[in-house]
Amino acid sequence: MEVDEMETRMPELQKSRKRVKTKKRTEPYEERDDDENMSDSPCGSVPSTTETPGKETQLEDGSDSLSVIKKAVVVLTRLPEYKISALRPPTPQQFYSEDDSKTAKHAKNDTTRNNNSNNNEPGPIIISSAFAHCSNETTKVRPNLPEEELKVDMMVLARKRSMRWQRGKIVDIVTREDGRLKYKVSFEEKGKSLVSGHHIAFDTTPKLEQLYVGARVVVRCQDNKFRFRPGVLSELPSRKNRLRFLVFLDDHTPVYVGLPLFHLVCRPQENVLDDIPDSPHKSFMTQYLKDWPYPHLTQYRVGQALNVELNGSQQRCEVQVVDCSIMQVVFLESQQKEWIHRGSMRLEHMARFLEMKAEERNGDSD
């Protein structure tokens, strides 16, 4: 029977195999050369399976009936996606895009389209994502801290004109009949002014615990370190803005600054926006502070064309740089460059979006 024949051959085969010169097979995840004549390179060729076995692979009794063919086995294992991502350091733009894609519980995504007759391309996505990551970033309330005393001979920053503040010294404090205090400031350059407490700012760097979204501040001009411009603090440092402060100047210009570049107003008004003249910017800031920490932001890409209001009319622009909540555009006709907030009402897409929202609110109230 075949079973008997197999049983009789097994001892012979086992005996002969002991005389075969072979090497142990390596683990399947290792790469190893099993032939002394193979190259040390990991890309060395694998011996052909059609080759005649060498003397060392033949049985000692001269029989060729059993041949041992050796192969180099390479097993490749694909890494999981999360390991690949961990090995790839994110760029600032990737970092921001990842954060910008995460919306809070009450966040809403809305899409508008540009109906310009010359360009029917879809408009950008308008997202109202959560911008703050901890409780002190969401507050719009002034911290309940003791007020710093203002006294004679104290160096301050004071308002000389609406968009021009300068460094000076308090030379006198005047009490009016109604009890209000006025501060006479002698400017370093020249001239004197009698100003209210909400028109002077501390000359020192503010402390972090004093800062909140909606704080009244003045920012040092980049082109002239002796002049300052007033504004409203609109973002505290977070992952979304790469740990910077965003300030909206009173002329609607958005700027990212570090802590040493801005100063707190000494005695801000109850409503800080009362210091801003009635204008589209004041309306924008009113809505911005109302929406915080879910401000509306359009999402543009570099090179994208759009319309932006300039001198009362919409003009064609191209996006040059996108930096977190702001972007730099160049007006195609004049080649003028300007930084603008991605939620500004000067953007045609945003203006239409807000009009649509207003119509929806009016429709709901009817």
mmCIF file of all heavy atoms in Angstrom, residues 175-192:
data_model
loop_
_atom_site.group_PDB
_atom_site.id
_atom_site.type_symbol
_atom_site.label_atom_id
_atom_site.label_comp_id
_atom_site.label_asym_id
_atom_site.label_seq_id
_atom_site.Cartn_x
_atom_site.Cartn_y
_atom_site.Cartn_z
ATOM 1 N N THR A 175 -9.653 118.480 37.620
ATOM 2 C CA THR A 175 -10.960 117.940 37.978
ATOM 3 C C THR A 175 -12.039 118.914 37.516
ATOM 4 O O THR A 175 -12.056 120.075 37.952
ATOM 5 C CB THR A 175 -11.077 117.713 39.491
ATOM 6 O OG1 THR A 175 -10.017 116.856 39.929
ATOM 7 C CG2 THR A 175 -12.416 117.066 39.844
ATOM 8 N N ARG A 176 -12.936 118.461 36.660
ATOM 9 C CA ARG A 176 -14.028 119.302 36.167
ATOM 10 C C ARG A 176 -15.133 119.412 37.222
ATOM 11 O O ARG A 176 -15.168 118.682 38.213
ATOM 12 C CB ARG A 176 -14.580 118.712 34.880
ATOM 13 C CG ARG A 176 -13.617 118.788 33.686
ATOM 14 C CD ARG A 176 -13.464 120.224 33.232
ATOM 15 N NE ARG A 176 -12.516 120.360 32.152
ATOM 16 C CZ ARG A 176 -12.847 120.257 30.840
ATOM 17 N NH1 ARG A 176 -14.069 119.943 30.501
ATOM 18 N NH2 ARG A 176 -11.924 120.455 29.920
ATOM 19 N N GLU A 177 -16.080 120.320 36.950
ATOM 20 C CA GLU A 177 -17.171 120.547 37.895
ATOM 21 C C GLU A 177 -18.035 119.309 38.075
ATOM 22 O O GLU A 177 -18.586 119.087 39.156
ATOM 23 C CB GLU A 177 -18.036 121.721 37.406
ATOM 24 C CG GLU A 177 -17.299 123.052 37.420
ATOM 25 C CD GLU A 177 -18.184 124.186 36.935
ATOM 26 O OE1 GLU A 177 -19.338 123.880 36.536
ATOM 27 O OE2 GLU A 177 -17.737 125.345 36.946
ATOM 28 N N ASP A 178 -18.185 118.524 37.040
ATOM 29 C CA ASP A 178 -19.010 117.316 37.131
ATOM 30 C C ASP A 178 -18.241 116.138 37.727
ATOM 31 O O ASP A 178 -18.747 115.018 37.777
ATOM 32 C CB ASP A 178 -19.574 116.942 35.763
ATOM 33 C CG ASP A 178 -18.475 116.746 34.718
ATOM 34 O OD1 ASP A 178 -17.284 116.828 35.081
ATOM 35 O OD2 ASP A 178 -18.821 116.513 33.541
ATOM 36 N N GLY A 179 -17.004 116.367 38.160
ATOM 37 C CA GLY A 179 -16.217 115.326 38.796
ATOM 38 C C GLY A 179 -15.303 114.557 37.853
ATOM 39 O O GLY A 179 -14.488 113.735 38.299
ATOM 40 N N ARG A 180 -15.433 114.784 36.554
ATOM 41 C CA ARG A 180 -14.576 114.080 35.592
ATOM 42 C C ARG A 180 -13.143 114.610 35.670
ATOM 43 O O ARG A 180 -12.926 115.793 35.913
ATOM 44 C CB ARG A 180 -15.113 114.245 34.169
ATOM 45 C CG ARG A 180 -16.412 113.517 33.918
ATOM 46 C CD ARG A 180 -16.815 113.643 32.455
ATOM 47 N NE ARG A 180 -16.946 115.050 32.068
ATOM 48 C CZ ARG A 180 -16.972 115.487 30.808
ATOM 49 N NH1 ARG A 180 -16.848 114.623 29.808
ATOM 50 N NH2 ARG A 180 -17.111 116.784 30.550
ATOM 51 N N LEU A 181 -12.193 113.683 35.437
ATOM 52 C CA LEU A 181 -10.778 114.057 35.461
ATOM 53 C C LEU A 181 -10.264 114.261 34.042
ATOM 54 O O LEU A 181 -10.603 113.502 33.126
ATOM 55 C CB LEU A 181 -9.952 112.968 36.151
ATOM 56 C CG LEU A 181 -10.246 112.719 37.634
ATOM 57 C CD1 LEU A 181 -9.376 111.582 38.156
ATOM 58 C CD2 LEU A 181 -10.036 113.983 38.462
ATOM 59 N N LYS A 182 -9.470 115.259 33.876
ATOM 60 C CA LYS A 182 -8.776 115.528 32.616
ATOM 61 C C LYS A 182 -7.280 115.546 32.893
ATOM 62 O O LYS A 182 -6.835 115.957 33.974
ATOM 63 C CB LYS A 182 -9.208 116.871 32.021
ATOM 64 C CG LYS A 182 -10.652 116.911 31.546
ATOM 65 C CD LYS A 182 -10.818 116.152 30.248
ATOM 66 C CE LYS A 182 -12.218 116.317 29.695
ATOM 67 N NZ LYS A 182 -12.400 115.645 28.397
ATOM 68 N N TYR A 183 -6.521 115.106 31.888
ATOM 69 C CA TYR A 183 -5.075 114.968 32.056
ATOM 70 C C TYR A 183 -4.369 115.841 31.009
ATOM 71 O O TYR A 183 -4.594 115.677 29.806
ATOM 72 C CB TYR A 183 -4.659 113.517 31.903
ATOM 73 C CG TYR A 183 -5.377 112.592 32.871
ATOM 74 C CD1 TYR A 183 -6.610 112.033 32.535
ATOM 75 C CD2 TYR A 183 -4.831 112.304 34.110
ATOM 76 C CE1 TYR A 183 -7.284 111.200 33.412
ATOM 77 C CE2 TYR A 183 -5.496 111.466 35.005
ATOM 78 C CZ TYR A 183 -6.724 110.917 34.645
ATOM 79 O OH TYR A 183 -7.396 110.104 35.528
ATOM 80 N N LYS A 184 -3.544 116.748 31.506
ATOM 81 C CA LYS A 184 -2.774 117.602 30.594
ATOM 82 C C LYS A 184 -1.471 116.881 30.280
ATOM 83 O O LYS A 184 -0.683 116.565 31.178
ATOM 84 C CB LYS A 184 -2.501 118.961 31.209
ATOM 85 C CG LYS A 184 -1.752 119.900 30.271
ATOM 86 C CD LYS A 184 -1.544 121.276 30.894
ATOM 87 C CE LYS A 184 -2.868 122.027 30.981
ATOM 88 N NZ LYS A 184 -2.651 123.444 31.422
ATOM 89 N N VAL A 185 -1.251 116.619 28.997
ATOM 90 C CA VAL A 185 -0.093 115.850 28.551
ATOM 91 C C VAL A 185 0.797 116.736 27.695
ATOM 92 O O VAL A 185 0.327 117.426 26.776
ATOM 93 C CB VAL A 185 -0.527 114.603 27.744
ATOM 94 C CG1 VAL A 185 0.702 113.854 27.215
ATOM 95 C CG2 VAL A 185 -1.390 113.692 28.596
ATOM 96 N N SER A 186 2.082 116.728 28.028
ATOM 97 C CA SER A 186 3.086 117.436 27.224
ATOM 98 C C SER A 186 3.799 116.394 26.361
ATOM 99 O O SER A 186 4.450 115.483 26.886
ATOM 100 C CB SER A 186 4.079 118.160 28.128
ATOM 101 O OG SER A 186 5.097 118.778 27.352
ATOM 102 N N PHE A 187 3.664 116.515 25.043
ATOM 103 C CA PHE A 187 4.225 115.521 24.132
ATOM 104 C C PHE A 187 5.732 115.688 23.990
ATOM 105 O O PHE A 187 6.271 116.796 24.089
ATOM 106 C CB PHE A 187 3.559 115.616 22.761
ATOM 107 C CG PHE A 187 2.097 115.261 22.796
ATOM 108 C CD1 PHE A 187 1.126 116.252 22.732
ATOM 109 C CD2 PHE A 187 1.689 113.940 22.898
ATOM 110 C CE1 PHE A 187 -0.215 115.937 22.760
ATOM 111 C CE2 PHE A 187 0.349 113.606 22.926
ATOM 112 C CZ PHE A 187 -0.611 114.608 22.870
ATOM 113 N N GLU A 188 6.423 114.575 23.716
ATOM 114 C CA GLU A 188 7.873 114.591 23.552
ATOM 115 C C GLU A 188 8.274 115.416 22.339
ATOM 116 O O GLU A 188 9.278 116.140 22.387
ATOM 117 C CB GLU A 188 8.401 113.158 23.409
ATOM 118 C CG GLU A 188 8.457 112.384 24.703
ATOM 119 C CD GLU A 188 9.078 111.006 24.527
ATOM 120 O OE1 GLU A 188 9.057 110.467 23.395
ATOM 121 O OE2 GLU A 188 9.608 110.470 25.512
ATOM 122 N N GLU A 189 7.523 115.300 21.260
ATOM 123 C CA GLU A 189 7.893 116.046 20.045
ATOM 124 C C GLU A 189 7.615 117.533 20.265
ATOM 125 O O GLU A 189 8.521 118.349 20.311
ATOM 126 C CB GLU A 189 7.131 115.490 18.847
ATOM 127 C CG GLU A 189 7.561 114.072 18.471
ATOM 128 C CD GLU A 189 6.900 113.579 17.203
ATOM 129 O OE1 GLU A 189 6.080 114.312 16.618
ATOM 130 O OE2 GLU A 189 7.212 112.460 16.773
ATOM 131 N N LYS A 190 6.328 117.891 20.377
ATOM 132 C CA LYS A 190 5.970 119.265 20.732
ATOM 133 C C LYS A 190 4.464 119.343 20.937
ATOM 134 O O LYS A 190 3.714 118.516 20.425
ATOM 135 C CB LYS A 190 6.394 120.262 19.644
ATOM 136 C CG LYS A 190 5.724 120.044 18.293
ATOM 137 C CD LYS A 190 6.193 121.105 17.307
ATOM 138 C CE LYS A 190 5.510 120.884 15.947
ATOM 139 N NZ LYS A 190 5.924 121.918 14.965
ATOM 140 N N GLY A 191 4.040 120.330 21.721
ATOM 141 C CA GLY A 191 2.628 120.549 21.937
ATOM 142 C C GLY A 191 2.121 119.917 23.216
ATOM 143 O O GLY A 191 2.770 119.058 23.820
ATOM 144 N N LYS A 192 0.923 120.387 23.635
ATOM 145 C CA LYS A 192 0.242 119.867 24.803
ATOM 146 C C LYS A 192 -1.225 119.640 24.473
ATOM 147 O O LYS A 192 -1.787 120.287 23.605
ATOM 148 C CB LYS A 192 0.364 120.840 25.986
ATOM 149 C CG LYS A 192 1.781 121.059 26.501
ATOM 150 C CD LYS A 192 1.801 122.030 27.667
ATOM 151 C CE LYS A 192 3.222 122.252 28.171
ATOM 152 N NZ LYS A 192 3.248 123.209 29.333
#
